[in-house]
Amino acid sequence: VQFRTNHVPLHFYLARIGKVDAATCPTCGSAPETVAHFLLACPTYTLHRAVHFRPLGFSGRNLKTLLNSKDALRPLFDYVNATGRLRAVFGSLELPDNDGDEADSDEDE
């Protein structure tokens, strides 16, 4: 949800709320560090994008797909973890276990 609303602790948002002086990307220094820049454009993470978004094909270069498709969740989380950019705030991102409810109901029987 934070990626969709631009309320993720990237410099664009942090500058807006007065936590950092400039919105400029701290890794490349070439543009404001928005969600789109971090996910699709920052030259620092070109290799990570190529590796983690490749299974999504052309749609892996589309912000709408990355932020709204269930198929994009695993590549998106893997990309964020691989960059290490948000690790200090969120630690390692993990997908929720969809089988957890079924396992709990089996134990109750």
Side-chain angles (χ1 to χ4, degrees), residues 33-107:
E33 190 187 31
T34 62
V35 169
H37 175 77
F38 172 63
L39 295 179
L40 300 173
C42 185
T44 304
Y45 306 121
T46 299
L47 180 60
H48 294 298
R49 277 191 295 279
V51 169
H52 297 291
F53 295 161
R54 190 174 92 202
L56 299 171
F58 185 74
S59 64
R61 293 181 249 159
N62 179 302
L63 195 59
K64 183 178 178 181
T65 299
L66 289 174
L67 300 181
N68 295 296
S69 168
K70 285 185 179 184
D71 292 337
L73 276 179
R74 167 118 6 241
L76 178 63
F77 278 37
D78 289 346
Y79 170 82
V80 172
N81 288 334
T83 67
R85 179 66 184 90
L86 302 173
R87 190 170 295 131
V89 176
F90 296 117
S92 181
L93 298 180
E94 302 290 332
L95 286 175
D97 183 12
N98 292 335
D99 297 329
D101 293 337
E102 292 176 11
D104 291 342
S105 64
D106 289 345
E107 290 176 10

